[in-house]
Amino acid sequence: MFLFVGLGNMGKAFAGHRHNAGFMALDAIARAHNAPAFRSRFQGLASEIVLEGERGVLLKPQTYMNESGRSAGEAARYYKIDPSYIVVFHDELDLLPGKVRVKTGGGNAGHNGLKSLTEHLGNEYRRVRIGIGHPGDKALVHNYVLSDFAKPETAWVEALCSAIAANAGLLAKGEDEVFQRKIHQAMETAGSGKAGSI
């Protein structure tokens, strides 16, 4: 059994923020695979899903970003899911917009959601890093991540979420490198390989 965790902040005011890229990806997976409606569980919103014959749970913590680990930890303990079967979708400043990288473990790079997850899950969960780009100045980061994606970015955000949803079964089966390659190919086809500048 797998656990997919999308990171974001709850509430309509945050819905379009770059920091909510994880929620956007999870919502796209739920839509594409006709998952049941999310319901309140584990201090979050959860839905069960089957991908490529693998049973799993989609979870959007409702604790605000910096306490995401409380929700994910509760779900992981309930289902007895090993960290290697936990996949976290999150925004990544250090990747160009529209790029995706998958890795296991590693540092948190100042991301409070990841910091909280590591405190509650250990460090060996898998991460789908969704590139949002960097504003160029550390002083601008806070406002940048807590702002909506700009209108010209909408096309690549939608294309990326669709590609993630279409290939989510690969993550459920542990085929991270194949997933990453498929996303890259999908974004190149969508013409979003050129989206990597701010």
Side-chain angles (χ1 to χ4, degrees):
M1 188 172 198
F2 63 85
L3 173 63
F4 284 0
V5 182
L7 295 189
N9 286 308
M10 59 187 180
K12 286 184 178 177
F14 296 98
H17 286 187
R18 294 181 178 90
H19 219 19
N20 274 38
F23 275 7
M24 294 174 192
L26 215 68
D27 283 337
I29 293 170
R31 282 194 305 272
H33 299 279
N34 299 310
F38 283 90
R39 57 194 181 101
S40 294
R41 291 187 80 190
F42 313 118
Q43 302 178 67
L45 296 174
S47 178
E48 294 195 7
I49 193 171
V50 176
L51 294 173
E52 299 290 331
E54 302 285 340
R55 257 183 78 234
V57 176
L58 306 179
L59 177 67
K60 297 189 291 183
Q62 300 292 289
T63 51
Y64 287 113
M65 182 69 82
N66 61 359
E67 294 287 350
S68 299
R70 287 198 287 121
S71 173
E74 191 176 316
R77 286 190 299 274
Y78 180 85
Y79 289 107
K80 298 181 173 61
I81 299 176
D82 185 86
S84 62
Y85 291 93
I86 299 173
V87 180
V88 177
F89 299 82
H90 68 90
D91 58 300
E92 176 61 69
L93 283 162
D94 294 330
L95 283 178
L96 291 173
K99 301 297 182 185
V100 165
R101 295 288 181 272
V102 186
K103 71 171 185 174
T104 299
N108 299 322
H111 195 296
N112 289 329
L114 295 178
K115 185 179 175 187
S116 177
L117 284 162
T118 298
E119 286 171 2
H120 289 265
L121 299 172
N123 202 37
E124 293 308 302
Y125 57 90
R126 293 148 60 201
R127 305 151 189 230
V128 175
R129 304 161 64 211
I130 300 169
I132 60 169
H134 197 287
D137 183 339
K138 197 173 179 182
L140 300 176
V141 165
H142 181 76
N143 285 340
Y144 178 74
V145 299
L146 293 179
S147 295
D148 286 355
F149 282 104
K151 275 193 176 175
E153 296 178 285
T154 304
W156 73 253
V157 172
E158 290 178 354
L160 182 57
C161 286
S162 294
I164 288 171
N167 293 287
L170 293 167
L171 293 171
K173 294 193 295 181
E175 297 180 18
D176 295 357
E177 287 187 19
V178 181
F179 170 84
Q180 188 172 288
R181 189 166 66 248
K182 292 275 192 184
I183 299 301
H184 176 74
Q185 291 168 349
M187 295 305 284
E188 285 291 313
T189 301
S192 299
K194 299 166 188 165
S197 60
I198 289 197

